[in-house]
Amino acid sequence: MKILLVGGGGREHAIASAIAKSPRCGRLYCAPGNAGIAEIAECVPIGVMDFEALSAFALENEIDLVVCSQDDPLCAGIVDYMEEKGLRVFGTRKNAAVIEGSKAFSKNLMKKYGIPTAAYEIFTDPDEALRYLESCSFPIVLKADGLALGKGVLICGSYEEAAAGVKEIMSDRKFGEAGSKMVIEEFMTGREVSVLAFVDGKHLALMSSAQDHKRAGDGDTGLNTGGMGTFSPSPFYTEEVDRACRDLIYQKTVDAMAAEGRPFKGVLYFGLMMTQNGPKVVEYNTRFGDPETQVVLPRMETDILDVMDACIDGTLDRIDLKFADNAAVCVVLASEGYPVSYEKGKVITGLESFHGKQDYFCFHAGTKTGPGGEILTNGGRVLGVTALGATLKEARAKAYEAAGWVSFDNKYMRHDIGKALDEIG
Ligand code: AMP
Ligand code: GLY
């Protein structure tokens, strides 16, 4: 089978590794890919938003399956475009990708179908938003409606902060068109868990739970980032929580999307918060999480190509999705200064230490190959170092050991990924 994977981050490296493991994988291409993906796939220099060039490449090379798991192209309709060209695509169509592309849409969906989430109001006029804020208690959460690279959420401790946030999002358009509409919602407290599911329009197959660490600094301080590390499974995702989510959230969401005439196919990401009143949805994404994927897929035992085929064909109920009874921890190695400003182009050494080691993975997020074949840093998040272990504690110790094998100038990481696990002994 010939496969084209669209994207080039740590998530795509983890997906490429899972695909390459399948005995059904013949030739694997990745557009645009990165220096790590290039070791297991043929990288093609086409951008993820160039649907025309991607389709032409896929048709010319007789690609059997295109895989896309990135929000921008999915929300812009890459799946619809390629399907019209006769290609077979794993991913979410535009009319269902709106579950991530518009927070107002997803909040209204949850309200209509009784899916638990934070109470909210939607605004298109900044003055109305400001008037509403006068009646609110704080903290409160402001969210730009559209895609904003994970940065469109502001948690505001006072009226003044919130008013400044409304100005940033709606008047100054800091996140562009994403801020033409805004959700203002109740601040919730509790532990967060990410649960990813394969969905075929009707059925869903849940993957093992994971937890992300979004803040840049140790002890959850500093700015929100794309994610500084993850672990899977989450010991806080208990059987009781799982039961509640199955009853109130998962199938209900898939059924709601079908009822709206927007059948959801692909990967549905449930960002959940375990509140005192039970689990609630913080957000939906229409794709694999990053860096959740770097701890979830290395634990998956089922052939990913069989699962993707079943999603496209609507036969997911015949798949028994299996995960190893182990644990994984991923520590992100970033460039000092991320997520604000940072230098790129630093030489990375020590990558060969991972060769031939089964329990260790070094997923490339922002890297490129230099003129002399050396691997260079090429982004804020550079590498995701994942280790498997019998327990989370073992995986955590191994991931930090492996994080030390790699060096580059301005290397930065958090030192407390998975530390919360110590609370539970
Ligand atoms: P989102 O992009 O919607 O996932 O939001 C980013 C992060 O902001 C989440 O992972 C939470 O940590 C936080 N957040 C979002 N909505 C809320 C809320 N209603 N209450 C508390 N924290 C929130
Ligand atoms: N790790 C959060 C996300 O992928 O959106």
Side-chain angles (χ1 to χ4, degrees):
M1 206 171 153
K2 287 162 115 185
I3 299 137
L4 170 64
L5 173 64
V6 177
R11 165 183 50 213
E12 281 73 23
H13 195 178
I15 298 171
S17 302
I19 292 175
K21 232 172 45 182
S22 165
R24 296 175 59 208
C25 175
R27 219 157 161 180
L28 176 60
Y29 298 94
C30 187
N34 63 34
I37 297 173
E39 287 178 17
I40 50 173
E42 239 169 278
C43 292
V44 193
I46 307 176
V48 299
M49 298 304 284
D50 192 347
F51 300 171
E52 197 181 328
L54 289 169
S55 301
F57 176 87
L59 290 168
E60 246 164 60
N61 290 279
E62 298 176 329
I63 295 295
D64 300 295
L65 177 68
V66 180
V67 176
C68 181
S69 196
Q70 196 172 316
D71 49 4
D72 285 332
L74 290 170
C75 290
I78 190 172
V79 175
D80 311 58
Y81 185 97
M82 289 190 145
E83 282 181 343
E84 265 170 39
K85 303 274 177 202
L87 291 159
R88 187 170 161 84
V89 193
F90 175 81
T92 311
R93 287 187 190 143
K94 188 176 177 177
N95 73 348
V98 69
I99 201 167
E100 172 169 5
S102 166
K103 292 194 189 288
F105 170 86
S106 65
K107 296 297 293 189
N108 287 338
L109 183 88
M110 287 186 267
K111 188 188 236 174
K112 181 168 172 188
Y113 292 91
I115 298 164
T117 188
Y120 70 100
E121 294 291 336
I122 295 170
F123 298 91
T124 49
D125 175 1
D127 292 330
E128 269 180 40
L130 289 173
R131 266 198 300 281
Y132 171 74
L133 284 172
E134 285 171 14
S135 65
C136 291
S137 51
F138 295 87
I140 200 139
V141 184
L142 309 187
K143 297 186 172 184
D145 177 53
L147 294 179
L149 296 169
K151 294 181 186 142
V153 174
L154 303 177
I155 295 171
C156 303
S158 65
Y159 174 84
E160 288 69 31
E161 236 181 89
V166 170
K167 183 170 177 296
E168 252 179 39
I169 293 176
M170 298 194 87
S171 310
D172 303 347
R173 293 290 166 92
K174 186 170 172 193
F175 309 107
E177 273 310 293
S180 56
K181 218 185 251 181
M182 198 177 73
V183 174
I184 301 187
E185 73 177 30
E186 165 204 8
F187 176 75
M188 303 186 287
T189 51
R191 192 170 284 283
E192 287 185 60
V193 180
S194 311
V195 175
L196 314 181
F198 290 102
V199 186
D200 70 356
K202 221 167 147 180
H203 315 100
L204 83 184
L206 295 168
M207 295 181 233
S208 187
S209 62
Q211 188 178 323
D212 188 8
H213 293 67
K214 288 202 168 113
R215 300 292 203 95
D218 284 353
D220 285 331
T221 54
L223 294 173
N224 254 333
T225 70
M228 293 301 295
T230 38
F231 56 85
S232 171
S234 167
F236 306 104
Y237 186 78
T238 58
E239 271 179 32
E240 190 191 344
V241 172
D242 180 62
R243 218 173 304 122
C245 293
R246 284 174 196 266
D247 282 350
L248 301 169
I249 297 173
Y250 301 143
Q251 190 66 49
K252 255 175 131 170
T253 303
V254 173
D255 292 346
M257 289 299 281
E260 292 292 305
R262 300 171 184 271
F264 190 99
K265 286 191 180 197
V267 171
L268 183 51
Y269 170 121
F270 296 91
L272 305 167
M273 196 178 281
M274 311 298 135
T275 74
Q276 272 193 329
N277 301 320
K280 294 191 180 181
V281 176
V282 179
E283 63 163 343
Y284 292 118
N285 291 322
T286 177
R287 53 175 175 80
F288 280 106
D290 192 353
E292 285 90 339
T293 308
Q294 288 91 309
V295 283
V296 171
L297 286 187
R299 301 185 49 233
M300 194 169 101
E301 290 175 332
T302 316
D303 186 324
I304 195 167
L305 291 178
D306 291 346
V307 186
M308 288 177 168
D309 271 339
C311 287
I312 297 171
D313 296 335
T315 54
L316 201 53
D317 52 330
R318 294 190 213 149
I319 296 274
D320 181 16
L321 197 62
K322 286 220 157 72
F323 283 79
D325 183 18
N326 60 4
V329 170
C330 172
V331 177
V332 169
L333 304 187
S335 306
E336 181 90 52
Y338 171 72
V340 182
S341 65
Y342 44 85
E343 289 177 22
K344 300 187 203 175
K346 309 288 185 194
V347 176
I348 306 172
T349 57
L351 294 169
E352 66 289 345
S353 311
F354 287 84
H355 290 162
K357 293 202 178 73
Q358 270 212 330
D359 285 358
Y360 297 87
F361 305 81
C362 185
F363 296 119
H364 291 225
T367 64
K368 67 174 183 188
T369 308
E374 69 280 25
I375 309 285
L376 304 172
T377 66
N378 193 37
R381 288 190 293 177
V382 178
L383 301 166
V385 172
T386 295
L388 296 173
T391 62
L392 279 160
K393 278 194 175 169
E394 187 189 315
R396 181 171 168 234
K398 285 164 80 174
Y400 273 106
E401 176 205 351
W405 299 343
V406 182
S407 304
F408 54 90
D409 280 353
N410 79 351
K411 171 179 151 187
Y412 171 81
M413 64 180 160
R414 274 184 63 162
H415 299 89
D416 60 348
I417 303 301
K419 193 161 178 220
L421 306 171
D422 295 348
E423 286 170 23
I424 52 169

